[in-house]
Amino acid sequence: MSLFKKIQYNAPVVLTFTFLSLAALLLDFATQGKSTQLLFCVYRSSPKDPLTYVRLFGHVLGHASVSHYMSNMMLFLLLGPMIEEKYGSLRMLAMILITALVTGLVNIVCFPNVALLGASGVVFMLIILSSMVRMVDGKLPLTMVLVVVLYLGQEVYNGIAAQDSISQLSHILGGVCGGAFGWLLNRRGPSDGETNNQQTGGGSGRWRAKLAATWENWREKRRTHKQKRQTAREEKKKTQRRVSDQERTDGVRWE
């Protein structure tokens, strides 16, 4: 039992995504592929069908086989925790959802008769984004350039030369999303405050600090507002007492 207490759920979004993908794969085996076709792959369908919008995001959880799942999750678990620690869980979740939406929509538009499933687009997003972690002052790291040339260049070549069931376009789109996220998040470089936060808690620490500061500002405004209301009530009571005393005084006849 002491061993389990020492295990830390260190990357909530990454681990939850991994377990959900595993559950989707097991459900695929249990339903003989019906659950995957219904929820965990994306293809052109009626916009009136609510599940169409579920599949736009859920397709990244679906996998065609155990080997497909393992190949994606090994890289995902290797790169994901580092990215989530640096940028925070909320940003990590947002980047996964945006990548899923982009790859799903492009597949619907460009390949209406082809079903897309798997986390490869998300994994390629993490590959490119991880190469931009140390980006400073908007300068492009050479490591990122080499990763783009090697990984995305290979996918472009495979898309032209290879005849297989792998969606190279979703890999390329995932890489483009990763590059866009990295540029937007790192173009100004880390400030001194952000550097300190990275040493003490990473991206999630910065978000907690901002949330704590916002909460404290709100409480201070509430206290100020409460004091003003209390002062106004006291002034009103004083005014009412003065008026009452004046009325009693006016009723007295002095001789």
Side-chain angles (χ1 to χ4, degrees):
M1 293 299 293
S2 59
L3 177 62
F4 289 103
K5 291 181 179 179
K6 293 182 180 180
I7 296 176
Q8 181 186 7
Y9 205 74
N10 59 305
V13 173
V14 171
L15 292 171
T16 301
F17 184 95
T18 303
F19 292 141
L20 288 176
S21 296
L22 178 60
L25 182 63
L26 296 176
L27 193 60
D28 176 82
F29 294 151
T31 62
Q32 297 182 348
K34 293 181 180 178
S35 61
T36 298
Q37 184 177 2
L38 191 65
L39 299 172
F40 303 118
C41 65
V42 64
Y43 46 87
R44 183 174 294 182
S45 57
S46 173
K48 296 180 180 180
D49 182 6
L51 294 180
T52 297
Y53 306 99
V54 175
R55 288 190 290 267
L56 275 174
F57 299 96
H59 70 93
V60 293
L61 298 175
H63 289 87
S65 63
V66 173
S67 60
H68 185 203
Y69 171 82
M70 293 294 291
S71 62
N72 279 335
M73 288 305 107
M74 282 190 293
L75 277 174
F76 187 74
L77 288 171
L78 179 65
L79 300 173
M82 173 185 66
I83 300 299
E84 185 171 351
E85 181 181 1
K86 177 173 176 61
Y87 299 112
S89 297
L90 290 178
R91 285 181 177 176
M92 181 69 174
L93 178 60
M95 289 188 289
I96 291 175
L97 292 176
I98 292 172
T99 303
L101 180 62
V102 170
T103 54
L105 287 175
V106 172
N107 185 77
I108 289 175
V109 173
C110 298
F111 306 101
N113 299 321
V114 176
L116 175 68
L117 75 163
S120 299
V122 174
V123 170
F124 267 77
M125 179 269 289
L126 294 178
I127 291 173
I128 301 301
L129 183 57
S130 65
S131 68
M132 304 176 70
V133 165
R134 294 298 178 185
M135 182 176 176
V136 179
D137 297 330
K139 296 180 181 179
L140 292 177
L142 180 59
T143 52
M144 188 213 71
V145 176
L146 293 175
V147 166
V148 169
V149 171
L150 293 175
Y151 276 89
L152 296 189
Q154 182 185 27
E155 292 306 310
V156 172
Y157 173 78
N158 289 339
I160 297 173
Q163 299 294 328
D164 53 31
S165 60
I166 299 174
S167 176
Q168 283 81 21
L169 180 59
S170 66
H171 297 176
I172 295 171
L173 290 173
V176 171
C177 288
F181 296 146
W183 180 262
L184 290 173
L185 293 172
N186 299 308
R187 57 183 175 178
R188 290 179 297 180
S191 63
D192 293 339
E194 287 177 334
T195 302
N196 292 333
N197 281 332
Q198 286 177 9
Q199 293 174 352
T200 58
S204 58
R206 294 197 297 274
W207 279 98
R208 287 194 294 269
K210 290 179 181 179
L211 184 61
T214 303
W215 172 253
E216 187 60 34
N217 289 336
W218 180 82
R219 290 184 62 187
E220 183 62 30
K221 290 180 180 179
R222 289 285 298 172
R223 283 195 294 265
T224 303
H225 182 65
K226 187 176 180 179
Q227 290 175 356
K228 289 181 179 179
R229 290 180 60 186
Q230 183 66 26
T231 302
R233 283 196 295 267
E234 290 177 355
E235 290 294 332
K236 184 176 180 181
K237 289 179 180 179
K238 290 180 180 180
T239 302
Q240 289 175 346
R241 284 198 296 268
R242 284 197 297 268
V243 171
S244 178
D245 292 342
Q246 184 66 35
E247 289 176 350
R248 287 196 298 269
T249 303
D250 292 342
V252 176
R253 294 185 178 275
W254 297 90
E255 294 183 356

